[in-house]
Amino acid sequence: MCQLHNFRPKRDPCSAANINEITVEHTAIKWTVSFQLKMIIGQATLRCRCLTDATKLVLDVRDLSIRSVSINGVDCDFRIAPNVYTFFGSKMSVYLPPQFQKAGTILQVTVAYGTSPDATALQWMKKEQTADKRMPYLFSQCQAIHARSIVPCMDTPSVKSTYEAEVTVPTGMTCLMSAIGQGSKGDDDTTTFFYKQPVAIPSYLIAIVVGCLEKRDISDRCAVWAEPSVVDKAHWEFAETEDILASAEEIAGKYIWGRYDMVCLPPSFPFGGMENPCLTFLTPTLIAGDRSLVSVIAHEIAHSWSGNLVTNSSWEHFWLNEGFTMFIERKICGRLVSEDYRQFMAFNGWTNSLIPAVYEQFTPTHQFTKLIQDHTNVDPDVAFSCVPYEKGSALLFYLEQKLGGSEIFEAYLKDYLKTFAHQAIDSWQWKDHLYKYFADQKEVLDTVNFDLWFNGVGMPPEKPNYGQSMVEACEVLLKKWLAADESTVGDITSEDYYAMQPLQQIELLSQLWQHDPPIEHYKLDALNKLYKLNDSQNSELLLNWLRLCIKSKWEECIPKALDFVNSQGRLKFCRPIYRDLAQWPIANKKARDVYLKGRSQMHPITAEMIAKDLHIRHSTHTVCF
Ligand code: BES
Ligand code: ZN
């Protein structure tokens, strides 16, 4: 059975590419960025290798205007067939002339094209929408399947290609990419930036930012970029990056990507962070003023190994990217803070992320609560949740405890990353390697119900043991709040709260939120006054605070909640708040109005997902025939 895995054809239901016949080894991009047209115009040359005899090359595209296709310089025939589901884009078949149809042939396929102003990978911003209001701004987000809207490609994580790019932008603007800069040249009107990514990467890691950007160095290999008015704050907030990277290397091995730069994007960036190689993208909501949210950097750094080096072969095995990354992120924080802190983070993930995802966001029988998912006709943006993150990380945490503890498991982790570096794998390849590595503990592994972990819905079959030392302070304080009544609530003092770590404060709010019946309004008022919750600069804390207020139907919080979802576009914050408000009759209309008013300025992914949450019809989510 195990040997068969090598012969199993690769599967990725989210891509139309003929990956078992042809592969892409290098991609050369030439782009001109037009802010007037909201288009990227140019060409991509794909160096392809025929793995078997083949009559055509099939690529993924979405809303691209194709001008011409040539093979080794000679124009050739192609055809574009839309998928019934618009989120898949279209299948582009390039017909190979007879002399190029043999296994082993190498082809240079050049596609000249332009993107659509509605390309789902891109957000085009007017200068008025930026922090400094000096220049327009453009950024991409290709994960999971949006790369096809900016470049014709085999848009599956199972195909890895090196890339180089020449990008022409208006002079005065800076272009950054997920690659190593090779300088720039230009004149008064336009400047061309040159980039090379010498490590083969999946298409979802191609990334671009164009804007008014300044850089601050953090170390020899780390720097942060942001708009001028933000860059110094970002530089202070992320000053620990080199230490995090050094600690990650101790856990995972040498950092092979050369540079680790970051760009702090506008608030509409839909994610906390995105692990674009050489250039992590970050939300500005991480700037809390006290470095309390830098675990996101540890997370994106961890992806330099889990995800970017060892890659899930399709989004059905997303946990191999994100579960491993959560696990390594917590290992890094364990080293930098303490083992107790790592245990607390993992506990927090189980109780405050996994449980609500299984019971509240989905239901315990929902397909998306599985570790390995079936993405046939499924939009990966819709399937996205913290389940692969937390179920995956819990499985590794559980295995660590079963197989002899942290040291033994770290040696295994290094071996896993080394074995599969530069490859894309599925969960069965992961399991085969685990059994091989721990051959002397086969009986122990046989007691793990992998079938339930992989394919079971709902919560995992086992719960790991999480050290409780840091949870205790939260529980003591929780009891105080629950025991208080209107006459004694004023006796609670703030020292024990301020003595806690920010993550413990968040845990307290989350426990109050989980409590039934909902917390009374006078207590919310007292909590707010004592801990200055409305004024918190910590966006994670604010999320938990607002959800607590909404659960109690405390009307005073509605303007604050609307302001929160309007001032930033991080899905992790906006989706739960919008969903909570939508379920509350007096807030429902206000939430819809705020969404409808802001929609045209929103990031395309956020606009799409919030429309779904609010049950509002949205232009791109219909089926196209
Ligand atoms: N790679 C993800 C973001 C992502 C996943 C984008 C799937 C598109 C599709 C990134 O590494 C991530 O997980 N970001 C998290 C933060 C993290 C600390 C859990 C986020 O955005 O919240
Ligand atoms: Zn991640």
Side-chain angles (χ1 to χ4, degrees), residues 141 143-144 271-275 296 299-300 303 318 322 326 329 384 389 570 572:
Q141 170 57 45
Q143 196 181 12
F271 294 96
M274 175 65 214
E275 66 273 25
V296 175
H299 180 97
E300 304 314 331
H303 274 305
F318 188 43
E322 296 299 346
M326 289 310 294
E329 169 196 335
F384 178 85
Y389 290 72
R570 192 171 166 188
K572 181 182 178 185

Side-chain angles (χ1 to χ4, degrees), residues 422-441:
H422 306 288
Q423 298 184 43
I425 62 163
D426 62 28
S427 306
W428 305 291
Q429 288 170 284
W430 166 77
K431 192 180 150 204
D432 282 352
H433 170 266
L434 181 77
Y435 264 84
K436 275 200 197 102
Y437 185 89
F438 287 108
D440 58 339
Q441 297 203 62

Side-chain angles (χ1 to χ4, degrees), residues 10 86 100 126 166 211 269 330 359 384 427 429 480 488 516-517 533 563:
K10 290 187 196 165
T86 47
F100 297 123
K126 296 194 201 75
E166 284 184 35
F269 180 57
R330 289 166 182 164
Y359 291 101
F384 178 85
S427 306
Q429 288 170 284
K480 272 194 204 168
T488 60
D516 275 313
L533 296 169
D563 187 51

Side-chain angles (χ1 to χ4, degrees), residues 525-550:
D525 193 42
L527 277 160
N528 182 33
K529 291 207 169 105
L530 199 58
Y531 304 152
K532 303 187 176 47
L533 296 169
N534 270 340
D535 302 328
S536 173
Q537 297 302 301
N538 184 313
S539 49
E540 297 277 354
L541 192 116
L542 215 48
L543 169 72
N544 282 273
W545 165 236
L546 289 168
R547 293 201 76 188
L548 171 62
C549 297
I550 299 173

